[in-house]
Amino acid sequence: MEPETPPTIVAFPRPVLQVAFDRAELMRILDLYGRMVAAGQWRDYAMDFGKDAASFSAFKRAAERPQARIEKRPSLRGKQGMWALYGEAGQVLKRGHELAGVLSIIERRLVKIVEG
């Protein structure tokens, strides 16, 4: 009598329940946030992780609308880029495939603040 072969176990991929920043992305964003706090431009931040997008909002004062919002939306990766920077009124300031390119607008403004 032959021994029975054990059943084959197939692992199914788990659906992504929420979008998040990876460590390098979050470090880059928090580095910029720290420099903006040191320059007196930002005082508070909030992060939101949903099933479609992750966002980082920076505030001058906590009771106001965010002065800047950085959003990661992986569903737009193949189209206009998964990164977007929104201004205080909700307008899109920059979209792109790379986080560094999207953050360059804020970093440029930071250089002007330090020089001025």
Side-chain angles (χ1 to χ4, degrees):
M1 214 170 159
E2 291 183 30
E4 289 185 33
T5 58
T8 305
I9 298 173
V10 178
F12 290 98
R14 291 184 182 183
V16 176
L17 301 176
Q18 69 181 15
V19 177
F21 302 113
D22 67 29
R23 182 182 294 268
E25 294 164 349
L26 190 57
M27 290 302 294
R28 179 82 190 236
I29 292 168
L30 289 175
D31 176 59
L32 175 62
Y33 173 77
R35 289 184 285 145
M36 291 297 279
V37 167
Q41 294 298 303
W42 293 346
R43 290 199 173 139
D44 199 8
Y45 73 90
M47 288 190 278
D48 181 40
F49 303 102
K51 69 175 191 144
D52 297 324
S55 67
F56 179 93
S57 302
F59 299 86
K60 178 90 171 171
R61 291 178 195 82
E64 295 180 350
R65 285 185 279 171
Q67 204 172 35
R69 189 175 89 227
I70 302 157
E71 188 176 270
K72 177 183 180 181
R73 193 172 290 270
S75 62
L76 297 177
R77 179 182 291 131
K79 297 176 184 152
Q80 48 201 325
M82 71 176 172
W83 293 101
L85 174 65
Y86 294 91
E88 192 170 357
Q91 73 276 28
V92 177
L93 300 177
K94 178 104 179 181
R95 284 195 185 275
H97 295 281
E98 298 293 325
L99 177 59
V102 173
L103 295 181
S104 66
I105 291 178
I106 299 173
E107 290 176 344
R108 215 173 312 140
R109 188 169 68 191
L110 182 61
V111 170
K112 289 179 185 176
I113 291 168
V114 172
E115 289 177 352

